[in-house]
Amino acid sequence: MTTTTRPTTVPTGPATDHADDGGKGRKPRQGSGRGEGGVLVYLVALVVVGLTLGPVLYAVLGGFRSNAQLAADPAGLPDPWLLDNYRRVLTGASFWTYAVNSIAIAVITTVVTVVFGLMAAYPLARYPFRFREQLYMVFVVGLLFPATVAIIPLFILITRDLSLGNTWWGVALPQAAFALPMTIVILRPFLMAIPRELEEAAIIDGASRLQFFWRVLLPLSAPGAITVGVLAFVGSWNAYLLPLLLLRGEMKTLPLGVADFSTQYSSDTAGVFAFTTLAMIPALLFFLALQKRIVSGLQGAVKG
Amino acid sequence: MAIAPVPTTGATTPPAGRTARPAGAARRDWRMAAEIVLFTAPALVLFAVFVVWPILRAVQFSLYRWKGFGPLVDFVGLQNYVSVLANGVFTGAVAHNLIIVVASILVQLPLGLALALLLNRKMRGQGLLRTIIFVPYVLSEVIAGVVWFQLLQPGRGVVEALLGTVGLEGPYQGFLGTPSLALPTLVVVLTWKYVGLAVLLFLAGLQGVPDELAEAAQIDGASWWQTQWRVTIPLLGPTIRMWAFLSMIGSLQLFDMVWILTGGGPANATTTMATFLVNEGTKRQNYGIAAAASVVLFVIALVMAVTYQRFVLRRDTAEADVPRGVR
């Protein structure tokens, strides 16, 4: 249907074309006729940085202030710097409980998505069989179904029919299911791009298709698997609606914890900032560590 | 061993040069079929249970009046659809979603494009800038929403304090508490959150724009702006159209940010289809109504997607559309 054609152009090759997003060492194309950055450009860049990071930094700094400081001068800096808000959050049990839940659910989601996605993408990419394109289409059409549409029946299915209501698996499995279409759409062309000769050589050497999958394809598809893994992890880590409906009390994830804390202690702005800041850190660190993967994944998914 | 004298069917008799091929091939076919099933089954089962089945159930629920307990017996036909479409809150929600779709594109497209062109110039700290602009996109909507909620608090938030320093006064009930301002404020926050994605994708697209064209234009005497406007931006067309598609679908499903910032209020001024259906489903247990709303949401998304594909995306994909033959 609509988005079906996108995937065929995805395979930008295992992780080579995104290597140049740093400022230095770019291809010669950079210096060419393009206007060099003048003062104005840097000024605009500075404004953009300020607007982009401002709210985040304000929250980080707000965590080092007291509510009295915030009330007296909302736009000021911490004076004196207080560690108390952060200490309270870090020594309280709930933050760590939520963090563990978030990690567990994100890890399960990622593993299930990547393993099932790779397995399904393999025959869809490399086996010649009759209903292959139709089978692929089933997943592609899945791209069109937002989780929101199915959320109420999903809630009933998980809580009543499967009794997975307040569990890690109850959130992770549907998240993985909804992540599968994008995963397969990204992985299939990736697996297709692996040269035919490798497969022939492996078969001449006496390997079965399964051995080929295990020994040759899996290692070669690592970059693609990491991309979809990162997407699944980030998606799960940031998810709100499904956890909101399914998880209670001790089982909540960090986004739920942040939202709860914010409504419960809405007047304790400094405390909210501290809690929110600490909840941001894992995602930000993860992003910084795997930035190139996320970026190339997103670019790959949209490159037309 | 006895040599079978040219069996006509051949499928079950192993040896003998000529008939061995089909026999072996049949076994290979079997084996391959088994492998296909084995490999695709986990994904298919998961997909069927948690995606296909709930969606079918949503369609089913939408035809019943059901409060979530007891058997599904009170069949009401299309009545839930009638009441959803006659419900001012829901039609308002549809309008809000459409406004957000249009506003997101109108605001983020020029902004994203300008930033991408800017960041594509040679400058110091370019990599860092690209990282920074993407930070809001990485944060969850909930976390971004909670921070913005605090920043926008009426009377004590920093946004009003900053306005105060330039002599402006914030609205009495705050930006999120004033019905006429809540939706525009939401659009501003969404822009902050998502413009980085536009920039990133446009930058990716710019990588594919050959430099020679811009150079040729400049040799012909075009200014930097003319070059961008006449040469670079048109070549970014496919990327822009794909981004707009993603943005559209995302705007239609908007939930998290609204739920955190306003909960759909004040006076339903920011209700979206998603917040409407979650509210009906979980708070009021009107599962039939919620399901009808979700089907309407899906149909709207589908119609927009198909229309967009037909009239806008088709030319981009036309050449890439040739299905790869099964090898």
Side-chain angles (χ1 to χ4, degrees), chain A residues 299, chain B residues 116-117 119-120 130 198-208:
Chain A
Q299 291 176 347
Chain B
L117 292 176
L119 290 181
N120 203 40
R130 290 180 184 194
V199 174
L200 186 91
L201 297 177
F202 296 164
L203 277 171
L206 285 171
Q207 306 271 315

Side-chain angles (χ1 to χ4, degrees), chain A residues 266-292:
Chain A
S266 60
S267 56
D268 178 11
T269 309
V272 172
F273 281 146
F275 199 108
T276 314
T277 300
L278 290 171
M280 282 179 201
I281 291 175
L284 286 180
L285 287 182
F286 188 72
F287 165 64
L288 286 177
L290 291 164
Q291 186 194 8
K292 287 190 174 169

Side-chain angles (χ1 to χ4, degrees), chain A residues 157-175:
Chain A
L157 171 79
I158 289 163
T159 50
R160 296 192 198 164
D161 305 341
L162 300 175
S163 303
L164 287 172
N166 205 19
T167 63
W168 292 343
W169 288 94
V171 177
L173 289 179
Q175 277 179 356

Side-chain angles (χ1 to χ4, degrees), chain A residues 173-192:
Chain A
L173 289 179
Q175 277 179 356
F178 276 93
L180 273 177
M182 186 50 96
T183 305
I184 290 171
V185 161
I186 292 178
L187 283 180
R188 181 172 113 128
F190 209 96
L191 296 185
M192 276 179 158

Side-chain angles (χ1 to χ4, degrees), chain B residues 100-185:
Chain B
I100 292 166
V101 168
V102 173
S104 295
I105 290 175
L106 288 186
V107 177
Q108 288 178 36
L109 178 57
L111 199 59
L113 213 46
L115 289 175
L117 292 176
L118 180 90
L119 290 181
N120 203 40
R121 300 169 72 133
K122 188 178 185 171
M123 63 189 292
R124 243 178 254 229
Q126 193 181 44
L128 184 68
L129 255 173
R130 290 180 184 194
T131 304
I132 286 173
I133 205 159
F134 204 50
V135 161
Y137 182 72
V138 177
L139 299 177
S140 76
E141 277 196 21
V142 173
I143 286 180
V146 165
V147 168
W148 275 100
F149 182 82
Q150 293 293 342
L151 302 184
L152 291 166
Q153 287 263 327
R156 55 193 176 87
V158 71
V159 171
E160 290 188 11
L162 289 177
L163 282 179
T165 60
V166 292
L168 291 170
E169 210 169 308
Y172 177 63
Q173 288 170 302
F175 288 93
L176 295 170
T178 308
S180 60
L181 292 177
L183 196 60
T185 308

Side-chain angles (χ1 to χ4, degrees), chain A residues 193-216:
Chain A
I194 290 169
R196 189 88 188 146
E197 291 74 37
L198 275 179
E199 190 166 357
E200 278 155 12
I203 285 169
I204 289 170
D205 288 350
S208 70
R209 258 189 308 258
L210 292 187
Q211 284 168 327
F212 170 72
F213 175 72
W214 193 247
R215 302 263 180 82
V216 181

